[in-house]
Amino acid sequence: MTSTPTSAGPDPDVSVDVPPGPGAGPGAFLFSTREMTLRTTGGRTRVPGASPGSVGAMAAATLAAERAAGNPDPLVVGAVGFAHGEARLVVPAHVHRTPTVDRVEGDAPPVPPLVAPPSAPASVGTRWDFRAEPPPPRYAAAVARALEMIAEGEFEKVVLARAATLTAPEPLDVAAVLERLAARNPSGYVFAADVTDPDVDGRRTLLGNSPELLAARRGNVVVSHPLAGTAPRSPDPEEDARRGEVLARSTKDLREHALVVDRVAERLEPFCTSLEVPSSPSVTRTASLWHLGTRIEGTLRDPAPTSLQLAEALHPTPAVCGEPTDAARAAIEELEEFPRGFYTGLVGWCDAAGDGEWAVTIRCAEVAGRAVRVYAGAGVVEGSRPEAELAETAAKFRTLLSALGLEATP
């Protein structure tokens, strides 16, 4: 992955200094990691719609056509939805890569990696209206029903999500929200992508800071870092450390994590000549949550799939859907009360050589003018408790709500 400024398209000197916001248009995209910040604007070519399982192949064909037409270094950027049926992928007109400003380890606020004006959270007392889907009692009831289905042998795990639509007093400052998201999790994947439906009026921006890498490819090396197993942080240092230690020993969370790691390794293995899978997870943290995570690294066979094809082969993992996949999907359709859209899909970029990075679209929101839709989910396995899963979703909501300047959780 290069860390020097480059550009593709008709204007080789373009530099994008403002993250995309509502109204920014096709091709507006930002993806910032600890190492690199990628910004794009303008849309040269949209990747055509594709059937499930062929999005990566269609993107590769689009990139090949772009090179044949004289674009020397094309990229595909954007997002793919949870159900594969929704994708917003584009070859941008202008691309700018820069090294990310150093982010600070731990919980200290980092120097923001995004070029955005200093900003304060929404004023205390500012009126925001919100509507939760489903309300907490109905979500707890859905978890209880999922536990009955697990006991009946229908599946081992299902991830059930909640959503909330918040309406702000005035249009949202997307750059300011991204700045605060980056400060809350310096190790995350900060993103903003135009996901406007061309058949619907009004622009939509998908934004967030995902802690989870689905797939990255650089040359013949592939990396995935799935997360599963979560505990809320505590402001008290001793209690916070205790929660991390309890999570690391939790039988329920370790079992849930192993389901995810086993499935990711199983799906990567056919593409690899070798695959390194640690025997136990590590404990990672964001400002709000402790996570169990395992970094999986493989050497790819030749010819290697692109980064998007690898991400597509892994999606959805049991971390966002369940196990087995088809039964968990059916349960999600039955028990959830809203369409997920791009939530728990993938967001990232892929170049013509096949290199790229794709993060799981979690800790995210969709913004359209004054409306903000936020999402959170929890994995349900044997031993889960409805009240605990409800509390977990509340803790995950907090990432976005804090970036909006709000602390109450729906």
Side-chain angles (χ1 to χ4, degrees):
M1 180 193 308
T2 181
S3 61
T4 56
T6 64
S7 62
D11 184 354
D13 299 319
V14 70
S15 174
V16 183
D17 290 328
V18 180
F29 181 78
L30 179 140
F31 193 83
S32 181
T33 71
R34 291 187 66 88
E35 294 80 25
M36 181 199 74
T37 295
L38 169 70
R39 308 171 195 273
T40 76
T41 56
R44 287 176 61 104
T45 308
R46 282 194 178 277
V47 176
S51 58
S54 62
V55 174
M58 187 64 72
T62 302
L63 287 169
E66 277 286 310
R67 292 193 75 170
N71 187 346
D73 189 22
L75 294 178
V76 160
V77 301
V80 177
F82 171 70
H84 288 296
E86 193 167 15
R88 299 288 184 273
L89 298 172
V90 64
V91 177
H94 310 299
V95 178
H96 191 66
R97 295 184 181 94
T98 56
T100 296
V101 176
D102 288 341
R103 301 190 191 176
V104 178
E105 292 285 356
D107 297 325
V111 177
L114 313 175
V115 179
S119 55
S123 300
V124 175
T126 300
R127 175 70 179 174
W128 287 62
D129 295 324
F130 76 83
R131 176 171 52 87
E133 298 178 55
R138 288 216 302 268
Y139 180 79
V143 172
R145 175 58 187 142
L147 288 168
E148 292 174 354
M149 298 166 80
I150 290 171
E152 292 163 2
E154 295 191 29
F155 44 81
E156 292 182 72
K157 175 185 177 180
V158 66
V159 178
L160 295 181
R162 301 171 64 205
T165 300
L166 299 93
T167 305
E170 57 190 24
L172 202 67
D173 183 345
V174 169
V177 175
L178 289 169
E179 177 189 328
R180 293 194 290 269
L181 282 171
R184 286 186 63 80
N185 181 15
S187 299
Y189 298 84
V190 180
F191 58 87
D194 182 85
V195 292
T196 303
D197 185 337
D199 298 324
V200 177
D201 291 337
R203 295 219 163 267
R204 289 190 298 154
T205 298
L206 176 72
L207 59 84
N209 185 346
S210 174
E212 185 167 3
L213 175 67
L214 182 61
R217 194 198 108 172
R218 186 171 184 177
N220 68 342
V221 176
V222 60
V223 175
S224 181
H225 195 170
L227 305 179
T230 302
R233 302 286 304 275
S234 170
D236 176 75
E238 291 186 5
E239 171 61 17
D240 189 49
R242 188 193 71 81
R243 291 182 183 184
E245 292 169 0
V246 169
L247 178 65
R249 299 192 303 268
S250 166
T251 301
K252 172 222 174 236
D253 289 288
L254 288 169
R255 183 172 68 250
E256 180 183 349
H257 187 79
L259 277 175
V260 178
V261 171
D262 289 349
R263 190 62 62 239
V264 169
E266 179 184 277
R267 293 176 184 172
L268 281 179
E269 191 172 17
F271 302 110
C272 297
T273 59
S274 64
L275 195 64
E276 296 180 11
V277 184
S279 58
S280 59
S282 58
V283 180
T284 64
R285 64 187 180 184
T286 67
S288 301
L289 298 163
W290 290 102
H291 294 288
L292 296 180
T294 296
R295 177 186 168 90
I296 300 170
E297 183 172 324
T299 301
L300 293 166
R301 301 181 189 277
D302 190 33
T306 69
S307 61
L308 179 52
Q309 288 171 322
L310 289 162
E312 190 175 27
L314 293 177
H315 175 72
T317 72
V320 298
C321 180
E323 179 68 20
T325 302
D326 290 344
R329 274 189 184 276
I332 288 169
E333 291 178 4
E334 176 185 342
L335 298 174
E336 285 187 356
E337 299 184 16
F338 61 92
R340 289 193 179 185
F342 292 98
Y343 170 64
T344 62
L346 44 141
V347 60
W349 62 275
C350 180
D351 66 18
D355 289 353
E357 294 178 290
W358 296 87
V360 182
T361 316
I362 53 177
R363 311 299 184 272
C364 66
E366 286 192 22
V367 178
R370 296 190 302 117
V372 185
R373 190 163 173 81
V374 298
Y375 303 88
V380 182
V381 296
E382 182 182 0
S384 293
R385 295 178 296 112
E387 62 274 19
E389 307 313 317
L390 183 63
E392 181 175 325
T393 61
K396 290 175 177 176
F397 273 133
R398 199 167 296 125
T399 298
L400 262 296
L401 296 178
S402 295
L404 295 170
L406 306 172
E407 293 300 331
T409 51

